[in-house]
């Protein structure tokens, strides 16, 4: 028994408990908000089963964090030949009869098997963070050679174009930000940064004219010119703003006698709006602080890894979580178009929640394994 408690003690000392605890607090808040939406019957699609799924996904996610923390992340990366093809294959299935378009969504990004729905792009994000970290760490010293830079760009282009083909442009942007976060943290030459700055406007122009649909273009235009939307595409965001305003400073509470503003997808992409009306400005600010803390902790953990591969995993995870937070909250505040990006740990969705916890587990693995022998089982000194 003494040995067991010793192992647990070493594990706790090695782990980033602040990061894990902040994630769990966000999940607890999520369950409270979903229960509020369900009990007040604000949305037909959010009921007790939604809350139950969120609780199960959070518990499963915590279990994954513990397991991944025990396993050396370097060993996980080497298994790319298993999880990368699986993730790509699952995304490919969304283009078949198994593909499912969720109600209110523009993209066919889910796989439907009976009553079970899986969003493969979430798994592909994790696979991309691991494989791109491995690729970049192996060629970092020579990455500025044209051959290697083209291969790195091709590596990133595969998932980005595949997800864009689904019509899920928001998730495609997340992949772009992960790619940029990792490659900019490496020894990239200034000439490539200048070339990218020139290419970005050209790429945006081409995407505007040949990739985006009329609806997507209209969603961007109404952000720049509010109140000019003839198809009322602003309706959802206007309701989100009204919900936030309804909470005022301290909020209406989880059960309000005066009623709530109901927003489409309030349980998912617009859950931040319900946080605002239930807990007011104080609650919305609290969530923002927790999410900022998570991002900072992930970024800080990148400083304590024993090799560059571990650092890149943390940087890639930071890019993923930060982009989700920035785009989701920006969408609710009506400073960004509606692009269907969930808020980490808070939005309803089993796949998204489990994958976010998996990413936290990978980061914690880099923290736990920053020594030659794993601290959980050995007394060891960090690498110098």
């Amino acid at each position: 028994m003494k040995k067991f408690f010793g192992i647990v003690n070493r594990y706790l000392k090695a782990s980033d408990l602040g990061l894990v605890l902040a994630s769990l607090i966000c999940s607890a808040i999520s369950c409270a908000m979903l229960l509020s939406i369900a009990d007040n019957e604000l949305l037909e699609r959010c009921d007790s089963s939604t809350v139950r799924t969120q609780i199960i996904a959070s518990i499963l996610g915590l279990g994954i964090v513990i397991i991944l923390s025990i396993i050396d992340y370097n060993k996980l990366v080497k298994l790319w030949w298993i999880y990368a093809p699986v993730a790509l294959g699952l995304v490919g299935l969304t283009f078949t009869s198994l593909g499912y378009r969720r109600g209110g969504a523009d993209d066919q990004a889910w796989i439907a098997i009976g009553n079970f729905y899986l969003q493969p792009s979430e798994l592909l994000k994790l696979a991309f963070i691991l494989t791109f970290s491995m690729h970049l760490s192996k060629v970092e010293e020579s990455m500025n050679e044209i051959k290697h830079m083209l291969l790195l760009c091709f590596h990133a282009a595969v998932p980005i174009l595949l997800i864009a083909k689904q019509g899920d442009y928001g998730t495609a942007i997340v992949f772009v930000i992960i790619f940029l976060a990792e490659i900019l943290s490496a020894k990239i030459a200034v000439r490539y940064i200048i070339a990218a700055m020139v290419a970005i406007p050209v790429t945006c122009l081409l995407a505007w004219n040949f990739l985006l649909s009329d609806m997507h273009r209209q969603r961007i235009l109404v952000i720049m010119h509010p109140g000019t939307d003839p198809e009322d595409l602003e309706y959802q965001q206007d309701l989100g703003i009204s919900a936030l305003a309804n909470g005022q400073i301290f909020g209406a509470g989880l059960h309000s006698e005066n009623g709530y503003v109901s927003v489409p997808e309030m349980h998912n992409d617009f859950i931040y709006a319900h946080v605002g009306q239930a807990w007011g400005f104080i609650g919305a600010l609290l969530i923002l602080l927790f999410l900022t803390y998570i991002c900072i902790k992930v970024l800080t953990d990148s400083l304590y890894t024993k090799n560059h591969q571990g650092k890149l995993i943390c940087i890639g995870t930071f890019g993923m979580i930060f982009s989700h937070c920035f785009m989701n909250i920006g969408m609710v505040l009506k400073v960004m178009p509606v692009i269907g990006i969930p808020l980490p740990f808070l939005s309803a969705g089993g796949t998204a929640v489990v994958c976010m916890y998996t990413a936290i587990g990978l980061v914690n693995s880099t923290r736990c394994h920053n020594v030659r022998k794993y601290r959980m089982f050995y007394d060891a000194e960090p690498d110098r």
Side-chain angles (χ1 to χ4, degrees):
M1 186 61 70
K2 184 178 180 180
K3 184 177 180 180
F4 170 78
F5 283 113
I7 290 174
V8 172
N9 184 53
R10 287 172 186 161
Y11 171 75
L12 293 176
K13 286 183 177 179
S15 297
D16 189 340
L17 295 182
L19 175 62
V20 178
L21 182 60
S23 303
L24 288 172
I25 291 174
C26 286
S27 287
I29 294 173
S30 170
C31 293
M33 292 299 154
L34 293 175
L35 188 60
S36 172
I37 294 171
D39 286 350
N40 290 281
E41 299 181 347
L42 297 178
L43 291 175
E44 290 184 4
R45 292 180 55 202
C46 184
D47 52 24
S48 59
S49 65
T50 307
V51 182
R52 185 166 56 251
T53 298
Q54 197 76 351
I55 293 173
I56 293 172
S58 299
I59 294 173
L60 179 60
L62 177 60
I64 291 174
V65 169
I66 295 172
I67 293 171
L68 290 181
S69 301
I70 295 172
I71 304 172
D72 190 337
Y73 65 94
N74 292 292
K75 295 178 180 178
L76 292 171
V77 171
K78 292 177 181 178
L79 297 175
W80 67 268
W81 53 275
I82 297 176
Y83 54 76
V86 169
L88 286 169
L90 288 172
V91 171
L93 288 177
T94 62
F95 298 100
T96 69
S97 59
L98 292 175
Y100 171 75
R101 186 185 299 271
R102 194 184 64 186
D106 302 324
D107 53 316
Q108 186 169 303
W110 285 262
I111 295 175
I113 305 175
N115 293 324
F116 177 74
Y117 300 97
L118 175 70
Q119 190 173 9
S121 60
E122 298 294 334
L123 301 174
L124 189 58
K125 288 176 196 172
L126 298 173
F128 178 64
I129 288 173
L130 290 173
T131 58
F132 195 72
S133 299
M134 177 183 66
H135 186 172
L136 189 54
S137 64
K138 284 186 175 181
V139 303
E140 185 184 14
E141 297 301 325
S142 56
M143 62 175 287
N144 291 308
E145 296 178 12
I146 293 294
K147 175 184 68 175
H148 290 301
M149 185 57 64
L150 287 176
L151 287 173
L152 287 168
C153 289
F154 176 76
H155 188 154
V158 172
I160 292 171
L161 295 177
L162 191 60
I163 298 302
K165 180 66 176 176
Q166 287 182 333
D168 190 355
Y169 299 120
T171 300
I173 292 173
V174 173
F175 276 94
V176 171
I177 294 175
I178 293 171
F179 165 71
L180 292 176
E182 290 199 27
I183 205 163
L184 289 175
S185 68
K187 300 176 181 178
I188 186 171
V190 176
R191 64 179 181 273
Y192 290 116
I193 298 176
I194 296 174
M197 293 175 65
V198 174
I200 287 173
V202 176
T203 303
C204 291
L205 183 62
L206 292 173
W208 180 269
N209 289 294
F210 302 106
L211 182 61
L212 299 180
S213 65
D214 290 338
M215 179 178 290
H216 289 112
R217 286 195 288 266
Q218 190 63 33
R219 284 180 176 175
I220 296 173
L221 289 173
V222 296
I223 296 299
M224 296 184 288
H225 305 286
T228 61
D229 175 25
E231 298 181 12
D232 206 19
L233 291 175
E234 295 176 271
Y235 177 69
Q236 186 180 21
Q237 287 179 297
D238 287 340
L239 286 176
I241 293 292
S242 297
L244 285 169
N246 188 43
Q248 299 183 29
I249 300 298
F250 298 103
L254 295 176
H255 300 278
S256 174
E257 296 180 358
N258 298 322
Y260 294 110
V261 176
S262 179
V263 186
E265 299 299 316
M266 179 189 282
H267 67 307
N268 195 346
D269 300 338
F270 277 76
I271 196 167
Y272 192 68
H274 190 58
V275 172
Q277 72 175 336
W279 287 354
F281 173 78
I282 299 300
L285 181 61
L286 183 66
I287 291 297
L288 191 60
L289 290 175
F290 271 119
L291 293 173
T292 301
Y293 177 80
I294 289 172
C295 288
I296 292 174
K297 288 294 285 181
V298 171
L299 204 56
T300 303
D301 283 341
S302 70
L303 303 176
Y304 295 97
T305 58
K306 67 178 179 181
N307 57 25
H308 198 66
Q309 186 166 264
K311 174 187 175 182
L312 290 171
I313 289 173
C314 293
I315 295 294
T317 300
F318 164 78
M320 179 181 70
I321 296 176
F322 174 79
S323 58
H324 270 258
C325 296
F326 184 84
M327 288 193 286
N328 179 276
I329 295 176
M331 181 174 65
V332 175
L333 296 178
K334 204 179 177 181
V335 295
M336 293 194 70
V338 177
I339 47 180
I341 291 294
L343 192 59
F345 305 104
L346 286 134
S347 293
T351 307
V353 171
V354 170
C355 287
M356 279 294 169
Y357 272 105
T358 302
I360 295 299
L362 292 173
V363 171
N364 203 40
S365 177
T366 69
R367 179 66 178 255
C368 289
H369 294 86
N370 62 350
V371 294
R372 295 187 185 279
K373 293 183 178 180
Y374 185 33
R375 290 185 193 173
M376 181 172 177
F377 300 106
Y378 298 90
D379 291 319
E381 294 296 326
D383 289 338
R384 301 296 182 186

